[in-house]
Amino acid sequence: MSYQRTTQFKTQRQGNWNRNQNTVAFASNIKLGPVTHTVLVALMITVLGLIYLTQATRATGYDYEAQKIDDKIADLTTQKTDLEVENARLTALESVQNSSVAKNMTKPAQTDYVSE
Amino acid sequence: MQLDLKKGSRPRILAIMTLVIMAVFVARLFYLQILQHDYYVAQANAEQLKRLVIPAKRGEIYAMDDGTPVKLVLNETVYTVFADPTEVDQPRQIADMIERIAGGNVRSDLSGLLAKKDTRYQILATKVTRRQAEMMKRQNLKGIGFQQESQRVYPEGQLAAQTLGFVNADGQGKYGIEQALNQQLTGKDGLLQSVTDVSNVPLTIGNNNIDKPAKNGENVVLTLDRNIQSYTEKSLTNGLQAIKNRLKSSTMPDGSVMVMDPQTGKILAMANMPTYSPADYNKVQNAAAFNNATISAPYEPGSDVKTLTMATGVDKGVVGPNDTYNNTDFIKVEDRTITNATKGQTGNITFQHALNYSLNTGFVTVAERLGDGNNITLDARNTMYQYFHDRLGLGGLTGIELAGESPGTVIPPTDPDGGAVRYSNMAFGQGLDVTMIQVCSAFSAVINGGTYHIPSVVAGAMSDDGSVFIPAAPKASRANMVSASTSATMVDMIQKARAAFYAGQDKRGYYIGGKTGTSQTIENGQYVDNQTIGTYLGFGGSSAGDPKYVIMVQVSGKGMNLAGNTDAMPIFTDISNWLLDYMKLQPKG
């Protein structure tokens, strides 16, 4: 197996060399074969897939948070309703009439009216 | 870069294998995703996509309390506790726990129910409160579940039962306002369509999610004042008990009372006995208890209709309170002889006198004077029909927002049965079938200056959170049904009719008027002598020109001779005297 490649990496900047400008030439000694390329591509795809899954899982995690909040709202609404019912029972006419305050009330002996 | 894959080399083999595997995958995916697309989407949706109904909250019902809306009907979340006997491993502990916590709502023989291993659903307790359900859940006993539902709650118990109606097990309003405004009160269920996980938690993934919120039912505010309603019901119960005691009867008579604001047509109270508790509607033995007799039970109202006959005569200018006629205690109409119930007031007497003593002959004379003076001619009958039916609404639906209203019957003069004899009877309140609400509304028009208000029990609505009262638009009214001067004359006559005999019963300084009514009843098509209905119809206020309330009382009973003055009037007087204080009216007279 053999393939050709340039031994020097020539940048655009290098092509337009001017005075007082630094240039760096990269020349990698690592040679990557086709199997390595394939593996690397597969790894990149895997990483991208994992990133997607992480994001999707995170979004689903928010759904659970939202559901918890919804459940809490529903629970508090139920509690509020129960308290309203309790309040209505406590302020019902019969409850008021049977209260100790009402029982201690007396009829006025005389009623005076102020002129309108 | 140029790849040089030599034949038989490892990379070449790897590339070929990869291509083959990829081709297999592509082919399989093409089959699954393209060819079988619809099938698998349907399967996935069936498994993952859930349609959850978001139940709309039924609207609450309010009554007034001295002008402030207060809740009369609410919703409460309750739970049905059920068990899957195949999952239950501690039946004894479950039975003990449920009996200890749920108390009276527990099914009998819990151990037996839990032992039915061939079933997977057994109801153990119903109508368990949230607090009780939470206590049970904390026990972590295997095999029991909780089903949440909403039920109506009535903190005032039986108050205004027939006006309210009830909600049956299917969530449908029955009787009263619950039935009449069922659609308005029900609201519209919402829909949540979403992909869910195994615990039915909705997830945002998926393209077919729908989140349509529920539209709660409207909160309705009634015109009923709960204090007036409560006092009216107590007064009616006491009055009926007094009748029962007086007659030494084993059964309680029936009775109805209506309190109306004559200036608006708003109903302040509607009471009926027998009654029931809407929370326990399924325990009612006598279905008649569901009926609101004030709107659904037409009857011959008797002499209180004489006020309407007199108003017709005065408005047409044929009679006045001080005009006279010759009373002989009987009067002939065609082949029939009509007599007075009270005899001895003979000679030339005024129509005011006739009203005071409720003399039938006087009002048959009014009907005759609407004709040629001696006969109840077709013109006279047409005039009476026009006033009674067309102007004052007798014999027709009033349009009140309650289920079960009956139109009653006022036979027109064009009907073969609408002859002079019929109309002579109608002049004193027999021969027509009308409901209390019709009579009350007509009477209110006669005494309020002449405006007929369509009666109403709906004052408005409350905002969804119950904080803002939105008044209803005023209902249509018909002005000048009788002239203002006729109305003033009638107010004076009706006040004198009460003052002639019963003034001492009213609080001093107020302007109270009223008219008794005692009507015969028909059994098997014949008037019977042993059963009469007592009615009292009157108004009250500080002064003649400003009546604040109209009260109509009706009492009846199987085989009971009940009279307007002895049986219905005491209830009127009791409520009237209480109302003067409750409404903070100042004495002026």
Side-chain angles (χ1 to χ4, degrees), chain A residues 3-9 26-28 30-32, chain B residues 1:
Chain A
Y3 63 95
Q4 293 175 335
R5 58 172 295 177
T6 55
T7 53
Q8 270 198 326
F9 180 76
F26 294 101
S28 174
I30 300 169
K31 307 283 189 296
L32 298 178
Chain B
M1 184 174 75

Side-chain angles (χ1 to χ4, degrees), chain B residues 167-196:
Chain B
V167 179
N168 69 10
D170 299 327
Q172 295 297 310
K174 293 288 172 191
Y175 298 93
I177 200 87
E178 293 276 22
Q179 183 176 331
L181 301 184
N182 186 51
Q183 201 175 357
Q184 203 173 319
L185 287 162
T186 302
K188 202 164 185 184
D189 288 345
L191 175 67
L192 179 64
Q193 178 177 289
S194 170
V195 175
T196 61

Side-chain angles (χ1 to χ4, degrees), chain B residues 432-461:
Chain B
L432 74 173
D433 277 323
V434 292
T435 57
M436 287 176 70
I437 190 142
Q438 291 169 10
V439 178
C440 243
S441 305
F443 185 76
S444 293
V446 166
I447 59 140
N448 72 6
T451 302
Y452 180 90
H453 295 284
I454 294 174
S456 175
V457 288
V458 176

Side-chain angles (χ1 to χ4, degrees), chain A residues 1-3 34-35 60 63-64 67 75 78-79 81-82 84-85 88-89 91-93 97 113-116, chain B residues 1-2 6 71 74-77 130 153 155-156 197 201-204 226-227 230 234 510 585-587:
Chain A
M1 182 182 74
S2 68
Y3 63 95
V35 175
T60 309
D63 291 336
Y64 287 105
Q67 182 64 28
D75 193 44
T78 309
Q79 281 186 42
T81 308
D82 286 355
E84 283 174 352
V85 170
R89 283 186 176 131
T91 54
L93 291 174
Q97 282 164 3
Y113 296 90
V114 292
S115 56
E116 287 175 314
Chain B
M1 184 174 75
Q2 187 183 343
K6 288 181 181 173
K71 290 183 180 183
L74 299 88
N75 300 305
E76 185 180 37
T77 304
R130 187 182 60 83
V153 183
E156 301 288 352
D197 70 357
V201 174
L203 305 175
T204 45
R226 73 166 176 174
N227 299 302
S230 173
K234 276 182 194 160
Y510 292 98
L585 302 178
Q586 292 193 14

Side-chain angles (χ1 to χ4, degrees), chain B residues 268-333:
Chain B
L268 302 175
M270 259 180 177
N272 296 280
M273 293 292 162
T275 187
Y276 72 104
S277 172
D280 298 318
Y281 70 89
N282 50 351
K283 294 177 186 165
V284 172
Q285 302 288 327
N286 178 11
F290 295 137
N291 290 327
N292 186 344
T294 60
I295 63 161
S296 64
Y299 77 116
E300 298 187 50
S303 297
D304 37 310
V305 167
K306 287 171 182 165
T307 56
L308 308 184
T309 308
M310 191 68 201
T312 306
V314 173
D315 207 51
K316 295 302 283 184
V318 299
V319 289
N322 298 317
D323 290 352
T324 58
Y325 78 103
N326 184 29
N327 176 36
T328 56
D329 274 346
F330 69 90
I331 190 166
K332 285 196 74 110
V333 177

Side-chain angles (χ1 to χ4, degrees), chain A residues 23 54 68 76 89 95 102 106:
Chain A
T23 58
T54 312
K68 272 185 196 167
L76 289 171
R89 283 186 176 131
S95 304
T106 55

